């Protein structure tokens, strides 16, 4: 019992002392989302679609508790980029916003079912 209390107390101290982190990325099939930030503050959200799809559009949004609660970046046309032999459609939304621990930032492209999400964590 005493060991359980000690482990729980140490875990809480480490959780509070650990730096928050908002940068990360996720992929689902050809669709990816990336988030750049410090702490719980997000500076930029990027969506990437692997392949060449001129005219592709994307949006980004926040999911909290399994429900979509807010649109971060409305529908925006992607720019076509080629890096070496790979082709991509890329969209980015600059922002300076702070999110709650556990918020999920997601992106989706028109006419695609994949919706990858990045979780903002401490």
């Amino acid at each position: 019992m005493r060991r359980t209390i000690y482990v729980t107390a140490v875990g809480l101290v480490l959780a509070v002392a650990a730096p928050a982190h908002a940068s990360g990325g996720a992929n689902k099939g050809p669709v990816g989302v990336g988030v750049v930030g410090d702490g719980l503050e997000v500076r930029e959200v990027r969506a990437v679609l692997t392949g060449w799809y001129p005219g592709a559009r994307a949006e980004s949004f926040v999911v909290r508790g399994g429900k979509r609660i807010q649109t971060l970046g409305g529908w925006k046309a992607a720019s076509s980029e080629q890096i070496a032999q790979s082709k991509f459609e890329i969209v980015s939304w600059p922002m300076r916003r702070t999110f709650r621990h556990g918020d999920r930032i997601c992106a989706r492209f028109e006419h695609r079912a994949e919706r990858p999400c990045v979780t903002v964590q401490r």
Side-chain angles (χ1 to χ4, degrees):
M1 179 69 177
R2 189 182 312 174
R3 182 170 186 238
T4 303
I5 293 171
Y6 176 76
V7 170
T8 303
V10 169
L12 287 174
V13 168
L14 290 176
V16 171
H21 190 63
S23 295
N27 292 316
K28 271 194 180 176
V31 179
V33 64
V35 175
V36 179
D38 296 315
L40 295 176
E41 182 180 348
V42 172
R43 289 191 312 263
E44 184 177 26
V45 176
R46 298 176 187 152
V48 177
L49 177 61
T50 304
W52 206 257
Y53 301 94
R57 294 182 342 143
E59 72 168 338
S60 61
F61 52 94
V62 178
V63 174
R64 186 179 297 151
K67 295 183 182 181
R68 180 179 171 153
I69 62 163
Q70 183 179 23
T71 300
L72 290 177
W75 290 104
K76 189 173 180 181
S79 62
S80 301
E81 302 285 335
Q82 183 170 354
I83 302 170
Q85 297 298 322
S86 302
K87 298 178 181 180
F88 302 97
E89 299 294 328
I90 300 174
V91 181
S92 65
W93 296 272
M95 62 183 63
R96 275 246 187 255
R97 291 204 37 207
T98 301
F99 293 90
R100 292 182 187 177
H101 172 73
D103 279 355
R104 297 176 55 102
I105 298 175
C106 307
R108 75 180 189 108
F109 278 85
E110 251 181 348
H111 310 298
R112 301 295 307 192
E114 301 89 358
R115 294 181 177 153
C117 297
V118 174
T119 304
V120 177
Q121 298 179 357
R122 286 188 199 269

